[in-house]
Amino acid sequence: SRQPMAANSAHPRTPQVIRTEAQLRALIGEPAALTCAKISDRLNAMTRLFIERSPFVCIATSDPAGHCDLSPRGDPAGFVRILDERTLLLPERPGNRLADSLRNLLANPHIGLLFVVPGVTETFRVNGRATITTDQDLLAPCAVEGKVPLLGIQVDIDEAYTQCSKAFLRSHLWDPQRFTDPGTMPTGGQIHRAIQGEVFDAEQYDVERAERYRRRVGF
């Protein structure tokens, strides 16, 4: 694995790096007062709509050493429950059992969330502290297709604010004319074969996974 560089060392590819916030601010300036004013420690009637209408959220976590992980979560819109103006509940569905996010949260409770609403160019960010819960009273309303999650991530909100549209406008993310044909991208099986070698049966892997998805196994 790669060894971390010392804070004051040069990167092997370039000596032109920024190491302090003073250097950063000299280059980009300070945020506008109105930008800072939008950051709240709770939801309100307007911002809660981003959570209620979002079927997709990315969650950021890190372990005590600062190794980061970013993981997507998705379900029918509104799957993240608003328990109150300062508390959210994310149901944890079956996955690959690596449990990167959950293992990180056991050691470091700080969490970041990015809520995305299809067709909407503004997103919603939440930073807070997470608790992993098995409380069935809390989790029962999170049932999907008759399945109640075994556990969930409860988030106590520290910061909540909208993210402007620039990233989505620059990327043209919602423009169907710019969508990529999935057939031009590698399949899961092909990626496994690239890692494990030609002995890996990519076609069988893809067929079996597609069948599991069709039967909703593990959903």
Side-chain angles (χ1 to χ4, degrees), residues 40-137:
S40 176
D41 64 354
R42 66 197 65 218
L43 305 177
N44 59 48
M46 297 290 100
T47 58
R48 66 182 289 140
L49 293 176
F50 285 90
I51 298 173
E52 293 172 344
R53 297 179 180 179
S54 173
F56 184 85
V57 61
C58 291
I59 67 175
T61 61
S62 72
D63 67 16
H67 301 110
C68 297
D69 184 75
L70 184 67
S71 181
R73 298 289 190 275
D75 254 329
F79 74 99
V80 176
R81 290 187 62 205
I82 300 173
L83 301 184
D84 59 50
E85 64 181 0
R86 298 202 63 184
T87 316
L88 305 177
L89 179 67
L90 285 76
E92 186 68 13
R93 307 296 179 191
N96 56 22
R97 299 190 184 90
L98 289 175
D100 303 288
S101 302
L102 298 176
R103 289 188 295 111
N104 283 348
L105 292 174
L106 289 173
N108 177 1
H110 295 285
I111 188 171
L113 309 174
L114 179 69
F115 290 90
V116 178
V117 179
V120 176
T121 54
E122 283 203 345
T123 52
F124 190 61
R125 297 170 63 174
V126 171
N127 298 316
R129 290 153 291 115
T131 303
I132 300 174
T133 180
T134 58
D135 188 328
Q136 288 300 290
D137 289 337

Side-chain angles (χ1 to χ4, degrees), residues 189-200:
Q190 290 169 340
I191 294 171
H192 271 291
R193 184 162 58 194
I195 296 170
Q196 300 184 41
E198 292 301 319
V199 296
F200 184 83

